[in-house]
Amino acid sequence: MNHPLLIIGAGLAGWQAVREFRKLDTTTPVTLVTADAGDFYAKPTLSNAFGQKRGPAQLVTTPAATIAQTLNVTLLSYTQVTAIDTAAQVVQTSTGPLAYRDLVLATGAQPIRVPLAGAAADQVLSVNSLADFGVFHQRLTALGEGARVAIMGAGLIGCEFANDLAGAGYAVAVVDPSDRPLAALLPPTASVQLQAALEGLSVQWHLGTTVQSVEPQAGALSLTLGNGQSIAADIVLSAIGLRADTALAQAAGIACERGIVVNRQLQTSAPHVWGLGDGAQYASAASPGAPTGRTLPYVMPIMAAAKVLAANLCGTEATLEFAAMPVAIKTPALPIVAHPPAPGHLGAWVEQTLGEWWFAPADAPERAHGFVLTGTHTSKRMALVKQMVAVV
Ligand SMILES: Cc1cc2nc3c(=O)[nH]c(=O)nc-3n(C[C@H](O)[C@H](O)[C@H](O)COP(=O)(O)OP(=O)(O)OC[C@H]3O[C@@H](n4cnc5c(N)ncnc54)[C@H](O)[C@@H]3O)c2cc1C
């Protein structure tokens, strides 16, 4: 029996895996099962769509039926995979069982939710999919310009939404336990630049504290912060991070840590089961002190992983080697390119000039493992990528 290559997930990881596979093999049947509609969209556009006056429909670049036809894929949309039997090579879905030759887990990550007190705690939104964005967009546009948005989290997604929404005329407040925005990615002086740039768009910062409770108040919401302050908002957006979605794999006995553990061929611990994308934990090239692997919830790792996966699925052994993969942070008030050092690389941030920082060992400042560029310095991105000592 000619069982298909079965892919779970229609995010960038799932579709990119199919694209790369089809470049090498046009005949093997491929089935893609996904809990959502399956439309192709670039998830990074969710956090700069308001500024461009684009709603969820305008963000779809290729409708599900079109991409499925182009790539010769049997698409099962709105179908949830509920269990995997790795011995029998069968998955159970909300519409029945499916056998597979090989299975690719491209199931992504879920927003982290912190327990909050208050009668309106369940009204807190998060945006990690086109459907989530649809809900957020509808509520905010119904409220109209000037509506107050409280954002929990001053990380990449929180800062991008803060810039986008403030630029589009909403009144934005950001709450974060760190004393500065993007603390995990940027050296302190770069954070200060970003904080000032967003203040220029009237973003209000509530740093060094957290949201404790959300209560309804006079048709809106009242947030009580850990520092005792209260802020009023019409919408609360939680952007405090993502956690790889490992439940399905774990229940099937597939090794998971911070994500679904894959080796440098993208194989999981189960035969004929592979993984990539936000749900995967990639093996790290051994470097002293480095943990066994890391999640990399960004676009560029998916593009590299999909190529290697496709080759391995076609019987050509290929090994994942990540090149330097800087992340462009979509904060037009202060453009930023961040290339954080891989875990295990020792060193410190050294300011070359205001707008350019290198992460390098104290005894070898020329051997940089990471960099951050802001403002006009972002044009040096390619030159610095070439200069970086290989990471990951
Ligand atoms: C607002 C925002 C902005 C971003 N900006 C950037 C950026 O500027 N640069 C960058 O590099 N990265 C950015 N990222 C990260 C990047 O978009 C993600 O790394 C990438 O899109 C993840 O793709 P994925 O396919 O792994 O996961 P997802 O897109 O989450 O896809 C997972 C898929 O799996 C399906 N699924 C899950 N479980 C099941 C199941 N049991 N059964 C069936 N289907 C299932 C889901 O329906 C979905 O289709 C951003 C992320 C967000 C949220």
Side-chain angles (χ1 to χ4, degrees):
M1 182 75 185
N2 194 11
H3 291 314
L5 166 63
L6 184 63
I7 296 181
I8 312 177
L12 181 67
W15 281 124
Q16 192 60 21
V18 181
R19 271 199 198 100
E20 292 294 344
F21 183 75
R22 277 288 179 245
K23 286 183 192 166
L24 306 176
D25 180 332
T26 53
T27 54
T28 297
V30 175
T31 299
L32 191 146
V33 194
T34 186
D36 56 20
D39 294 324
F40 186 76
Y41 71 105
K43 195 182 277 193
T45 57
L46 300 181
S47 50
N48 63 3
F50 274 89
Q52 299 174 2
K53 299 195 186 314
R54 293 203 289 167
Q58 289 84 47
L59 296 183
V60 173
T61 51
T62 319
T66 311
I67 189 167
Q69 192 183 17
T70 309
L71 294 172
N72 185 20
V73 166
T74 303
L75 175 67
L76 304 176
S77 49
Y78 301 114
T79 306
Q80 184 87 24
V81 175
T82 51
I84 305 167
D85 182 337
T86 58
Q89 294 184 215
V90 170
V91 302
Q92 297 300 327
T93 78
S94 46
T95 55
L98 292 170
Y100 61 83
R101 184 202 86 178
D102 284 278
L103 176 68
V104 176
L105 303 176
T107 44
Q110 293 292 332
I112 295 171
R113 302 296 298 239
V114 280
L116 296 172
D122 60 350
Q123 291 182 34
V124 173
L125 301 177
S126 43
V127 174
N128 185 42
S129 68
L130 194 59
D132 293 343
F133 180 73
V135 173
F136 181 65
H137 184 266
Q138 190 187 25
R139 296 226 189 133
L140 206 45
T141 44
L143 286 161
E145 229 174 76
R148 298 157 299 176
V149 185
I151 298 177
M152 293 167 56
L156 185 139
I157 292 172
C159 287
E160 289 188 351
F161 271 113
N163 197 146
D164 193 42
L165 298 174
Y170 296 98
V172 176
V174 182
V175 185
D176 193 286
S178 299
D179 60 356
R180 59 192 177 92
L182 277 176
L185 276 181
L186 303 186
T189 41
S191 290
V192 169
Q193 276 194 313
L194 177 62
Q195 189 172 339
L198 292 181
E199 269 164 12
L201 294 175
S202 303
V203 170
Q204 305 274 321
W205 296 100
H206 299 270
L207 298 169
T209 190
T210 55
V211 176
Q212 302 286 305
S213 71
V214 185
E215 298 284 359
Q217 192 182 62
L221 302 167
S222 171
L223 282 66
T224 304
L225 308 186
N227 62 10
Q229 284 187 336
S230 291
I231 52 177
D234 298 297
I235 287 199
V236 184
L237 179 68
S238 176
I240 60 171
L242 298 174
R243 187 172 289 131
D245 196 346
T246 56
L248 188 64
Q250 237 164 348
I254 296 168
C256 296
E257 291 172 3
R258 286 176 303 283
I260 302 165
V261 174
V262 293
N263 65 15
R264 296 177 81 196
Q265 282 70 45
L266 283 320
Q267 283 166 319
T268 69
S269 63
H272 301 287
V273 184
W274 313 74
L276 81 168
D278 283 9
Q281 178 180 313
Y282 298 104
S284 182
S287 65
T292 51
R294 59 199 296 219
T295 55
L296 289 166
Y298 302 110
V299 169
M300 282 175 78
I302 291 176
M303 307 310 271
K307 266 197 172 58
V308 171
L309 172 65
N312 284 301
L313 284 169
C314 293
T316 309
E317 187 170 319
T319 300
L320 186 58
E321 305 278 356
F322 287 124
M325 296 178 295
V327 178
I329 297 161
K330 301 184 296 297
T331 45
L334 180 74
I336 302 175
V337 174
H339 173 44
H345 285 280
L346 300 177
W349 287 109
V350 181
E351 188 171 304
Q352 310 293 317
T353 179
L354 188 63
E356 179 175 348
W357 296 259
W358 292 13
F359 188 91
D363 56 349
E366 73 293 349
R367 287 182 58 79
H369 297 298
F371 64 82
V372 165
L373 300 169
T374 63
T376 53
H377 295 270
T378 52
S379 62
K380 297 180 200 159
R381 170 194 176 134
M382 288 320 292
L384 279 185
V385 162
K386 287 192 191 127
Q387 216 170 310
M388 285 298 105
V389 176
V391 290
V392 186

